[in-house]
Amino acid sequence: MPKTAKTDSVTARALPRTALVIGLLAALLAASSVVGYRAMARTFHLELARDGYEALDLYGEMTRGWLNRYRMLAPIYARDPRVLAVLRDPSDAAARDDLQAEMEIWNVASGTSVTYLMNMTGMTVAASNESDSDSFKGMNYGFRPYFREAAEGRLGRFFGLGTRTRQRGYYFAAPVRDGDRTLGVMTVKIEVDALERDLRLSPYQVFLSDGSGVVILSGNPIFRLTTLAPIDPEDALRIATARQFDLSVITPAPITQIGSWLDNQLPVVRAPTDRSEVQTGAFLHLTEPMMAEGWTLHLLMDTTEVHHRLWYMVLLLLACGLAICATATVIWQRRQRLLEHLRVRERMQAVLEQRVLERTHDLSAVNQKLRSEVGERRAAEASLRQSQSELIQAGKLAALGQMSAALTHEFNQPLTAIRTYAENAAAFVDAGATEKARENLTRIQRLTERMAQLSRHLTRFARRSQDTVERVSLRDTLNETLALLQGRLERADAKVTITGNQDLWVLGGQVRLQHVMMNLVGNALDAVPEGRRPEIDIDITQDRDQIMLVVQDNGDGIAPEVLPRIFDPFFTTKDVGKGLGLGLSISFNIVKDFEGALRAENRPEGGARFTVSLQTAPALTQDAAE
Ligand code: ADP
């Protein structure tokens, strides 16, 4: 079928298209997942960075606050007259002792590590730790940058390792002025351990690097005195000159950049998560410059939480994707089922159409056959009708012939007799024998009487009864019939037996029914051959609204060839002059007029049986009965 082929090709085209759509959807899903993942990762890192910068501000403030606490000490101490006195007269031991005692007090009171005074050559002339073994007194710090800055009249500041103590410290230095002249430099050294302790309490890894990239302060000792980048040769020279750090112990910081956000503005680094340096993790590396000190504040923010959140989101996305895929699959499968259903329906329809076509074809063939059969049947009917009408015609002619033969015989015989008797009468009149002539005339009279009776009989046969039907008593009818036949019955010494209920009423006409009974009983008498005593049984039975009157005899029965024609008019087997062949024919029509039936058959034990079926007369109302 062309329709099915079309459907199949549509399906064939639909399949790769569906696969293409699914592929595109999957690609779209994957691409959007990647884009979504990156967008989320970026957002999460930015959120983390925002928190980090807030923390950085806090730590910056904390560091600055901490430094500011000590910043003004040196300038204030520089203005003390005892300081000036020592510088003015370096040989005054008492003044120097006095100052050193004061310095010790200042030191303890302000929380600084060491307070000391240098002359313009950088030689320490007084120090708070004068009594200590590693006292600064007598040491020359002219190479230190803070000395030079202060000697030039500015506030000197410096971070470095103590040349004697090997301890890291922060130095503030201020010039000691005598009028316009600078006589020396007043310095305080601060221990950085306290600041580091504060940094160590931070939930993040916080550290500070100086201008040359060396980590000078760190909550995590791993980063302490490491470099974030190779030290510039110029810086290296400066460090060596100022004896800031021992360059040989400075190692690269265990930090490697592994990525970044916002065009490298937010680097992501791999760094140790704790002091053991065993475990590493990914951190967002945030920095903030501290202008006054020339330092940079660093903050490493652990991105584990971000990755956890990302994983949750990825899982969520995957779950969503899977749900979408599952839904899409279900929809697709439903669509496929629907398509399959449609295809099956189309196929079925095609098969059905094919069958209808075949059936229609068969039907039209059958129709054609029927039509030709009808034609043949019609032709046969026409020829049958033709034959029938011919037969009827032939039957009519036969009946006419039969009737003519019977009538000719019935009339010819008396006519011949009449002629003979008339001739005799004429001869007797001529001879004067009037008595004899009368006798012959009387015979003629009887013969004409017989012919008249014959004529009446014929008239009755020909006439269609218009008489109405009425209630007729079977008993009365039977009695009258037997009375009329009494003479014949006695002559034949017949035995008549009546059984059954005679007190029944039927629908009919008394005289006509009597005629029927007379015929049947008369025929029964005729049927018994001479020398046998006729036995006629009349039986009456009732079956619902039908009454059956059966007349049977002990004659020789009806010959098989006679039986089909027994009710035909003018059919007789009796000798000429004994029967006209109209009795049963008339009786048949009479009973039919009563809406009954007359049936003839042979008794198994011999003899004939005639059954008259009649309608039971309805019971009379009380008035009518009276
Ligand atoms: P008909 O008595 O004048 O011959 P019916 O019409 O009465 O005319 O009878 C027709 C024929 O039916 C009879 O000639 C006879 O052959 C046959 N027939 C009628 N009654 C009997 C009977 N009881 N037994 C045998 N044959 C009968």
Side-chain angles (χ1 to χ4, degrees):
M1 292 287 288
K3 206 167 184 181
T4 318
K6 192 182 162 195
T7 315
D8 283 349
S9 72
V10 166
T11 318
R13 271 207 309 276
L15 264 177
R17 206 175 56 197
T18 316
L20 194 75
V21 168
I22 289 175
L24 273 175
L25 273 177
L28 204 71
L29 196 72
S32 58
S33 298
V34 169
V35 170
Y37 178 86
R38 285 212 44 96
M40 276 189 302
R42 187 175 180 275
T43 309
F44 292 164
H45 279 94
L46 290 189
E47 278 175 13
L48 191 70
R50 202 175 48 231
D51 293 348
Y53 279 119
E54 274 174 20
L56 263 185
D57 282 345
L58 205 73
Y59 291 113
E61 283 307 312
M62 192 181 90
T63 310
R64 269 187 289 272
W66 181 77
L67 289 174
N68 284 343
R69 258 168 59 197
Y70 305 102
R71 191 167 60 95
M72 292 314 291
L73 290 175
I76 292 168
Y77 296 159
R79 296 171 72 88
D80 195 284
R82 281 165 286 195
V83 172
L84 211 60
V86 169
L87 288 176
R88 274 184 192 147
D89 184 6
S91 58
D92 188 349
R96 193 178 58 235
D97 290 345
D98 190 27
L99 176 62
Q100 282 185 162
E102 189 61 29
M103 278 176 163
E104 240 182 294
I105 294 167
W106 290 343
N107 218 25
V108 173
S110 60
T112 50
S113 164
V114 189
T115 308
Y116 56 101
L117 179 69
M118 288 171 282
N119 63 19
M120 286 309 282
T121 63
M123 183 62 72
T124 305
V125 291
S128 60
N129 59 355
E130 196 262 345
S131 52
D132 293 355
S133 57
D134 52 358
S135 169
F136 290 0
K137 195 167 164 208
M139 302 296 293
N140 192 314
Y141 293 112
F143 60 89
R144 292 287 207 189
Y146 62 85
F147 170 78
R148 283 200 306 279
E149 283 165 6
E152 285 164 13
R154 289 177 282 141
L155 179 69
R157 44 174 77 208
F158 178 71
F159 180 90
L161 288 179
T163 47
R164 286 182 67 77
T165 57
R166 312 302 301 162
Q167 291 288 316
R168 287 166 307 150
Y170 196 79
Y171 302 81
F172 280 111
V176 182
R177 292 180 181 279
D178 183 13
D180 293 338
R181 284 192 313 131
T182 302
L183 294 183
V185 171
M186 186 69 205
T187 310
V188 290
K189 182 187 176 188
I190 311 152
E191 293 248 335
V192 291
D193 295 356
L195 179 59
E196 261 189 346
R197 270 198 302 279
D198 286 347
L199 295 180
R200 205 172 298 153
L201 292 175
S202 160
Y204 314 110
Q205 305 214 50
V206 189
F207 54 88
L208 282 154
S209 67
D210 69 0
S212 52
V214 177
V215 176
I216 49 172
L217 287 170
S218 171
N220 185 350
I222 286 170
F223 299 118
R224 212 171 284 158
L225 293 178
T226 58
T227 51
L228 294 166
I231 299 170
D232 191 75
E234 229 174 81
D235 285 340
L237 186 69
R238 195 165 39 78
I239 289 167
T241 313
R243 291 157 72 180
Q244 192 178 3
F245 311 113
D246 184 356
L247 279 172
S248 63
V249 300
I250 291 175
T251 53
I255 293 176
T256 341
Q257 184 165 348
I258 52 172
S260 71
W261 295 100
L262 291 182
D263 294 332
N264 224 18
Q265 286 183 59
L266 286 179
V268 180
V269 297
R270 179 156 293 284
T273 53
D274 56 13
R275 291 174 207 188
S276 70
E277 219 174 322
V278 174
Q279 276 188 323
T280 58
F283 295 88
L284 208 56
H285 186 181
L286 306 181
T287 53
E288 190 184 86
M290 292 178 71
M291 296 299 182
E293 292 77 18
W295 293 351
T296 305
L297 187 62
H298 299 259
L299 189 81
L300 294 183
M301 296 206 75
D302 199 338
T303 57
T304 313
E305 189 58 33
V306 166
H307 286 108
H308 284 167
R309 282 175 69 189
L310 274 172
W311 271 114
Y312 288 138
M313 293 310 287
V314 164
L315 287 177
L316 204 71
L317 265 177
L318 268 177
C320 285
L322 279 176
I324 289 169
C325 282
T327 314
T329 310
V330 167
I331 290 171
W332 185 74
Q333 277 177 345
R334 276 202 186 164
R335 193 168 164 269
Q336 284 305 104
R337 270 208 295 276
L338 200 76
L339 276 174
E340 185 58 37
H341 189 69
L342 281 176
R343 276 199 292 276
V344 168
R345 255 180 60 177
E346 272 181 13
R347 271 205 292 275
M348 274 168 65
Q349 203 167 333
V351 168
L352 210 68
E353 277 172 13
Q354 178 65 25
R355 275 194 198 153
V356 167
L357 261 177
E358 286 169 7
R359 204 56 61 83
T360 312
H361 190 261
D362 290 353
L363 272 177
S364 42
V366 168
N367 219 4
Q368 188 60 34
K369 202 173 152 200
L370 269 177
R371 232 177 270 143
S372 72
E373 273 180 14
V374 165
E376 283 169 17
R377 195 68 56 87
R378 276 197 188 133
E381 263 176 28
S383 93
L384 197 70
R385 257 198 301 277
Q386 179 67 25
S387 316
Q388 257 178 353
S389 67
E390 281 168 9
L391 266 178
I392 288 167
Q393 195 60 28
K396 274 182 191 168
L397 286 174
L400 201 64
Q402 230 170 6
M403 188 181 77
S404 320
L407 287 181
T408 308
H409 182 81
E410 285 297 317
F411 283 97
N412 274 357
Q413 197 246 343
L415 278 174
T416 313
I418 285 170
R419 195 168 63 223
T420 311
Y421 289 141
E423 284 170 3
N424 288 349
F428 283 130
V429 169
D430 291 345
T434 45
E435 200 54 38
K436 288 267 186 193
R438 175 170 297 273
E439 201 180 308
N440 276 298
L441 284 172
T442 309
R443 278 182 188 152
I444 289 171
Q445 198 184 351
R446 270 210 301 273
L447 281 170
T448 52
E449 183 58 35
R450 191 179 141 199
M451 287 172 78
Q453 200 180 357
L454 201 66
S455 168
R456 273 202 301 277
H457 211 68
L458 282 169
T459 315
R460 182 175 291 176
F461 172 71
R463 196 195 67 194
R464 264 317 279 158
S465 170
Q466 296 299 318
D467 296 348
T468 52
V469 290
E470 58 192 3
R471 281 167 59 83
V472 176
S473 162
L474 274 184
R475 182 181 288 279
D476 292 352
T477 314
L478 269 175
N479 284 346
E480 288 225 0
T481 307
L482 294 176
L484 284 170
L485 286 169
Q486 199 177 1
R488 272 189 76 188
L489 289 168
E490 278 174 2
R491 272 198 303 280
D493 188 23
K495 183 189 167 198
V496 178
T497 317
I498 302 176
T499 52
N501 183 10
Q502 288 185 58
D503 295 323
L504 290 173
W505 293 74
V506 294
L507 281 179
Q510 171 134 17
V511 179
R512 283 175 289 163
L513 189 57
Q514 209 173 299
H515 182 85
V516 171
M517 286 186 191
M518 275 183 73
N519 245 308
L520 295 180
V521 176
N523 277 347
L525 277 176
D526 289 342
V528 182
E530 262 183 63
R532 196 187 298 169
R533 188 188 175 197
E535 286 177 10
I536 300 168
D537 297 331
I538 301 172
D539 184 41
I540 301 161
T541 53
Q542 186 178 25
D543 180 15
R544 285 193 292 266
D545 56 347
Q546 292 275 307
I547 288 168
M548 262 74 71
L549 186 112
V550 179
V551 180
Q552 50 190 24
D553 57 59
N554 60 340
D556 290 338
I558 311 157
E561 68 279 6
V562 170
L563 201 53
R565 305 174 61 197
I566 203 164
F567 295 111
D568 288 355
F570 302 110
F571 174 78
T572 182
T573 57
K574 291 174 190 172
D575 293 339
V576 174
K578 284 208 169 163
L580 200 55
L582 287 174
L584 282 179
S585 175
I586 291 170
S587 297
F588 185 88
N589 285 314
I590 288 171
V591 175
K592 219 169 96 183
D593 286 343
F594 297 162
E595 292 187 5
L598 178 56
R599 208 168 65 238
E601 63 198 326
N602 281 315
R603 297 169 65 194
E605 60 269 39
R609 178 191 290 145
F610 285 83
T611 306
V612 187
S613 305
L614 293 162
Q615 307 258 4
T616 308
L620 281 179
T621 57
Q622 197 62 30
D623 294 344
E626 281 166 4

